[in-house]
Amino acid sequence: MSPRVPPQSVEAEQAVLGGMMLAPDSYAAIAGVLSESDFYRRDHRTIFRAIAELAATGKPFDAVTLGEWFEARGKAELVAGGAYLIELASTTPSAANIRAYAGIVRDKAALRQLIEVGTKIVNNGFAPDGQDAGQLLSDAIGELMRLHQTSDSCEFTGKQAMNMAWEEVVRAYENGGALPGITTGLPSYDEITGGLHDGDLVVIGARPAMGKTALMGTLVEAAAMAGRRPGVFSAEQPATQLGLRRIAAESGVSAARVRAGKFEEDDWAKLNAGMGSAKARDMWIYDRSAVTLDELVTVARKWKHQHNIGCLFLDYAQRVTVPRTDRTTEVATVARGLKNLARDLNIPVVALAQVVKGVDSRDDKRPKAGDLANSDELTREADQIVMLYRPAVHDPRAPVTLAELWIEKNRHGPIGVRKVAFSPATMKFSDASQPRPESF
């Protein structure tokens, strides 16, 4: 049995190189799609590198200048003393289809990378070298996800960045002012933040008993209703309790009565309707009290690959563990990992976070971004930081239904405070009826 030849297209590689020699202006577009390693043949990789070096210094890259480049480096034999360069330029009819040829070259390179990753996964399975199966699986999924990403380039000119920004402006105008991100189900909050944005890390902080999990539930349901297929990591509460909360919120029947089974005959219809609407929405839940960061990343990548989740929620950040690190380093590592995950999967990641106990001893018990427990890294990495406060927790004279969302950080716009309504019975948040206060 003859050995299999890796995927390649010599003709497409020749057409790309010859096309750039014929039309130097096409180099910028091709350089954003292809890299030196995408070419299969060694001589083609070196020719592409020569073109890149000459272009970087503003020099032309025709058969003559490229021949001089190879001669100066003692590599003329790679291009037959320059004859192969002349052949490339003379046999390429035009550069009209150079982008299509570049796509073929990139596709063949991706197939070779897939073979390489697959071979590595197989070899690691046979010889794990001390790594456990969970770590190997996480690494494998990560490498496959990176292959799956379709971004053409990480490098842009200022003009390209402005053109992409202008496209966003036009798209926003054509959407007629529609929300750019995922709705939270709280229009007044969406108004100031634009919703939950792909690639963002959103941190929601509060002291215990303020309703962090209930607020997350409101955001999860809103995302699910919008068809964004949320994934939920629940380190704080079992999946069954989350299900009971969903039934109460959807049916309008008190959560306490649902848990105790103390409801009237006519409540059954409400419960059945709530159950039906909640079950109809796609959602994935991972229920583990001490999930590791590697475990979280592995499962999230799997959900993205298998179910195309559109957002991720975590209850809560300080419960995620990183083995063999101190507490501050652990939370800092988790913060960076969550931000990287949001960028890699291009989805919003919403993480609940605990606030330091010292807040309770202050006269003004409203928490600030600097009160997040154990880590300044959460503050630095987050794109949005929201602090939840319910005055009635500390002041019995305050309405039990009043809640405040203090937007302490917002990379997409202003900061400010929004008052929302909280239903203690169903543990559901909604927009408050009173006028919104001014931003601070």
Side-chain angles (χ1 to χ4, degrees):
M1 181 177 177
S2 59
R4 289 183 290 185
V5 178
Q8 58 176 294
S9 176
V10 173
E11 296 80 6
E13 293 184 7
Q14 291 172 330
V16 168
L17 297 172
M20 286 191 292
M21 294 167 66
L22 291 176
D25 289 345
S26 65
Y27 168 74
I30 299 306
V33 177
L34 296 178
S35 64
E36 179 184 335
S37 61
D38 289 330
F39 291 85
Y40 177 72
R41 281 180 33 168
R42 179 191 172 200
D43 54 347
H44 290 172
R45 290 196 298 271
T46 310
I47 293 171
F48 186 84
R49 187 199 317 158
I51 290 174
E53 289 188 10
L54 291 171
T57 57
K59 296 178 180 178
F61 38 87
D62 53 29
V64 176
T65 55
L66 285 170
E68 292 176 349
W69 185 94
F70 278 90
E71 186 70 34
R73 288 159 179 77
K75 297 181 178 181
E77 76 281 356
L78 282 177
V79 290
Y84 185 56
L85 297 170
I86 297 173
E87 179 185 343
L88 284 176
S90 61
T91 57
T92 303
S94 75
N97 298 319
I98 191 170
R99 287 178 178 271
Y101 293 131
I104 295 172
V105 174
R106 184 70 193 92
D107 187 63
K108 298 298 183 183
L111 291 175
R112 295 196 300 273
Q113 291 170 348
L114 180 62
I115 292 170
E116 181 180 353
V117 170
T119 302
K120 179 180 177 181
I121 292 171
V122 171
N123 290 339
N124 286 342
F126 279 107
D129 194 25
Q131 298 185 80
D132 60 39
Q135 182 61 51
L136 291 174
L137 179 60
S138 177
D139 292 345
I141 292 175
E143 296 215 37
L144 290 171
M145 287 295 297
R146 280 188 285 275
L147 286 181
H148 187 64
Q149 291 176 346
T150 56
S151 58
D152 292 331
S153 176
C154 297
E155 185 177 359
F156 303 95
T157 66
K159 184 180 294 185
Q160 287 172 321
M162 293 307 297
N163 287 338
M164 290 187 293
W166 185 251
E167 290 175 2
E168 286 295 313
V169 171
V170 173
R171 188 178 299 113
Y173 174 77
E174 292 175 345
N175 285 341
L179 193 69
I182 302 173
T183 179
T184 62
L186 304 170
S188 62
Y189 174 83
D190 289 342
E191 184 181 40
I192 193 171
T193 63
L196 306 176
H197 300 263
D198 290 338
D200 275 7
L201 171 61
V202 180
V203 175
I204 300 176
R207 289 291 296 149
M210 288 291 171
K212 292 191 301 296
T213 302
L215 179 58
M216 185 186 79
T218 297
L219 272 55
V220 168
E221 295 298 336
M225 289 179 68
R228 288 301 297 261
R229 305 163 71 89
V232 179
F233 282 83
S234 181
E236 180 76 353
Q237 293 191 350
T240 302
Q241 289 188 21
L242 293 181
L244 290 172
R245 283 173 173 261
R246 295 188 70 199
I247 292 173
E250 288 299 307
S251 66
V253 178
S254 163
R257 289 168 56 201
V258 170
R259 283 195 300 268
K262 296 180 179 179
F263 32 79
E264 306 296 331
E265 190 66 28
D266 60 354
D267 286 336
W268 281 109
K270 298 177 185 178
L271 292 169
N272 282 326
M275 183 75 169
S277 61
K279 286 178 65 177
R281 299 171 196 149
D282 288 332
M283 183 183 304
W284 287 267
I285 299 172
Y286 194 77
D287 170 8
R288 186 166 180 180
S289 60
V291 63
T292 67
L293 179 60
D294 286 341
E295 187 180 1
L296 185 152
V297 170
T298 298
V299 174
R301 284 172 170 163
K302 181 185 72 173
W303 283 348
K304 180 65 174 178
H305 180 68
Q306 294 182 350
H307 309 299
N308 194 30
I309 59 170
C311 48
L312 194 72
F313 295 85
L314 169 63
D315 185 7
Y316 56 91
Q318 287 98 335
R319 287 193 72 96
V320 179
T321 63
V322 178
R324 296 177 295 279
T325 59
D326 62 80
R327 186 60 175 151
T328 300
T329 302
E330 182 176 60
V331 178
T333 303
V334 169
R336 290 191 294 269
L338 294 177
K339 176 57 183 176
N340 291 340
L341 187 63
R343 288 289 305 273
D344 290 346
L345 302 187
N346 194 33
I347 60 174
V349 173
V350 181
L352 305 187
Q354 289 286 15
V355 167
V356 294
K357 187 177 181 181
V359 172
D360 293 339
S361 62
R362 297 198 306 233
D363 292 336
D364 183 359
K365 304 185 187 308
R366 292 172 174 82
K368 304 295 183 182
D371 296 320
L372 292 171
N374 298 111
S375 177
D376 292 333
E377 201 71 22
L378 279 171
T379 306
R380 284 192 288 267
E381 293 290 344
D383 299 279
Q384 290 182 28
I385 298 178
V386 184
M387 297 311 230
L388 170 63
Y389 180 70
R390 289 197 297 119
V393 173
H394 296 290
D395 183 359
R397 298 167 299 177
V400 295
T401 58
L402 174 63
E404 300 171 353
L405 299 178
W406 291 81
I407 302 161
E408 295 272 303
K409 181 180 181 180
N410 178 20
R411 284 184 175 154
H412 302 285
I415 58 177
V417 60
R418 290 295 182 258
K419 291 186 177 182
V420 294
F422 174 65
S423 169
T426 60
M427 293 182 289
K428 185 175 182 179
F429 284 82
S430 60
D431 251 14
S433 58
Q434 60 262 48
R436 297 186 299 273
E438 295 294 324
S439 296
F440 60 86

